[in-house]
Amino acid sequence: MTGTTDAADWWATGISDIGPGSIRFHGYAIEELIPAVSFPQMIWLMVRGDLPSPGQARLLEQTLVAAVDHGPQAPSIAAARMAASCGLPLNNAIATGVNLLGDIHGGAGQQCLELLYNLAASDQDPDSAVRDLVASYKSRKAYLPGFGHRFHPRDPRRDPLITAAEEAVAEGTISGKYLQSALALEAALAPIPMNVDGATATIYAELGFDPPLARGLFVLSRSVGLLAHAHEQSKD
């Protein structure tokens, strides 16, 4: 590609429209967005194409806050600290941690979201669908994503997120359809409680996010913790 500086010649996108003296995202001028929207609202705009309601933005922000860090025993955080201890700059240390967020560490939210969507699409009545799903996982001795925690008897992030979802149902921000399924799964698995992945997946389902975005949003959230730990380690 030669002889042109037109940004539209590089990639076709409906997300951004960049020209001399003009930056627009999904039709919104950046000079209008900067003083008017929060970072969670901006995330929503970029991945969804419109601005969320205040209630939707509040729920998204709470999920992002919940997942920022889980200490240096978490593989992603440990890897970022190790990278920083090798003298790598912050961007490399953060990337090292992000690259450890796969199906086992960092993927449970996406897996749980897919599970909730599949339950909602089932032809069975909700109670039967939940019973059959739990029975299937138990017969395979498999862990049901979004429930139980290797470290916490009860994940301290579960209650505030589920309470926020219940309040959002009462306000009419979300339907509560997926919240009902998640709580039914938790009851069927008792005494194993929902964890942060299950709680955030419940909210993402209520907000209508595509399953891969659950992992992407987790990456955005955890990057804050990766930055903090890598910066601390780099000063040691």
Side-chain angles (χ1 to χ4, degrees), residues 103-184:
D103 288 339
I104 294 176
H105 173 51
Q110 177 179 348
Q111 295 157 11
C112 186
L113 182 53
E114 291 168 346
L115 184 151
L116 290 173
Y117 281 151
N118 289 336
L119 275 178
S122 173
D123 293 331
Q124 294 178 280
D125 68 87
D127 290 339
S128 297
V130 165
R131 283 197 302 270
D132 288 351
L133 179 68
V134 171
S136 171
Y137 273 83
K138 286 184 175 180
S139 69
R140 293 181 280 123
K141 296 183 179 179
Y143 291 104
L144 202 143
F147 296 86
H149 201 283
R150 64 179 178 80
F151 188 77
H152 302 292
R154 185 176 181 86
D155 194 321
R157 299 163 290 188
R158 181 262 185 217
D159 288 354
L161 289 174
I162 294 302
T163 296
E166 290 170 338
E167 291 172 349
V169 172
E171 295 166 356
T173 300
I174 57 177
S175 70
K177 173 183 178 181
Y178 299 101
L179 174 62
Q180 185 177 12
S181 294
L183 292 175

Side-chain angles (χ1 to χ4, degrees), residues 177-197:
K177 173 183 178 181
Y178 299 101
L179 174 62
Q180 185 177 12
S181 294
L183 292 175
L185 281 170
E186 187 176 51
L189 287 165
I192 299 172
M194 201 182 307
N195 61 32
V196 66
D197 298 309

Side-chain angles (χ1 to χ4, degrees), residues 21-32:
S22 175
I23 302 172
R24 304 183 75 86
F25 301 114
H26 292 291
Y28 291 89
I30 189 64
E31 61 267 28
E32 298 170 357

Side-chain angles (χ1 to χ4, degrees), residues 44 52-62 168 171 173-174 207:
W44 183 295
S53 70
Q56 290 171 327
R58 184 168 60 251
L59 281 174
L60 175 58
E61 184 170 33
Q62 288 167 321
E171 295 166 356
T173 300
I174 57 177
L207 294 176

